[in-house]
Each structure stands twice: as C-alpha cells, then as structure tokens.
Amino acid sequence: MITLLAISLVTLLITYVIMTLATILAKKTISDREKNSPYECGFDPKGSARLPFSLRFFLIAVIFLIFDVEITLILPVASTLNLTNIFSWMSTSLIFLLILLLGLYYEWSQGALEWS
C-alpha cells in the first residue's frame, strides 16, 4: 500500500515538474499586432473577429443535432424486426418514438423551433 502511494506521489511530482517547465519554456514574450489578429489571407481584417453570435441559431443547431442523432438510433430498429419478438420490438419502438414526439412537442410549445 505504501509502495503504491509512493509511486503515485512520484508520478504526480514528475508530471507537475514537466508541466511547469513546459509552461515556462513555451511562453512567448514577443507579441505583435499581426500575430494576434485573425488570419484573412494576408489582408487587414475588415471588422472585429469577435462578432456577437446568434443564440437562436445555436439553439436550432443543437436541436437539429439531437434529432439527427435520434434518427441514427431509429434506423437499426427496422433491421432487428426479424431477430426479436414482435411484441418487444413494437413496444420498444413505440416508447422511443413517443419520447421523441413528446420532446418535439415540448420544444414546439416553448417556441424554440420558431426562427423569428
């Protein structure tokens, strides 16, 4: 037990020393405007690179991603019809689809699917 504790402490100490050395050695002291600006094919940037992002668009994108993943979960259901009991297949499929439809209805009722 003491050996395991000693090995763990030595490993943590070595890791800490390496991370500290890497941080000190990798520090860039030269900072100029060109290296801190976003790259636009050698031209001066026309505007700020930190433009505000539409949270509405982000919400729509996340909802799309969630439903897209759920569709990939639905696709194998049809191929397992011959391998399982019809009752268990039907009940599992219906429960999964019901959960999806309830989630869609909730998003719709909260107004998350309206673009404007």
Side-chain angles (χ1 to χ4, degrees):
M1 185 67 174
I2 302 239
T3 308
L4 183 63
L5 183 62
I7 291 173
S8 298
L9 287 175
V10 169
T11 305
L12 286 174
L13 181 68
I14 291 173
T15 305
Y16 180 73
V17 168
I18 290 174
M19 287 176 58
T20 305
L21 283 175
T23 303
I24 291 170
L25 294 176
K27 203 65 143 165
K28 293 182 181 180
T29 57
I30 300 172
S31 176
D32 62 355
R33 189 178 78 82
E34 293 297 323
K35 288 188 178 181
N36 289 333
S37 67
Y39 180 69
E40 290 188 9
C41 300
F43 298 106
D44 288 331
K46 292 183 178 181
S48 174
R50 306 286 185 240
L51 295 175
F53 188 71
S54 171
L55 289 178
R56 191 60 139 179
F57 175 77
F58 180 72
L59 182 65
I60 295 288
V62 168
I63 290 171
F64 171 76
L65 183 68
I66 289 170
F67 281 107
D68 195 39
V69 168
E70 290 168 350
I71 292 215
T72 61
L73 293 173
I74 289 175
L75 285 176
V77 169
S79 64
T80 61
L81 175 62
N82 296 333
L83 303 174
T84 61
N85 182 7
I86 190 72
F87 178 73
S88 65
W89 180 85
M90 187 68 79
S91 61
T92 305
S93 301
L94 286 176
I95 289 172
F96 187 73
L97 286 175
L98 181 67
I99 291 171
L100 285 181
L101 288 174
L102 287 174
L104 179 64
Y105 176 72
Y106 178 75
E107 294 292 333
W108 190 10
S109 68
Q110 294 296 316
L113 299 177
E114 295 175 11
W115 185 254
S116 58

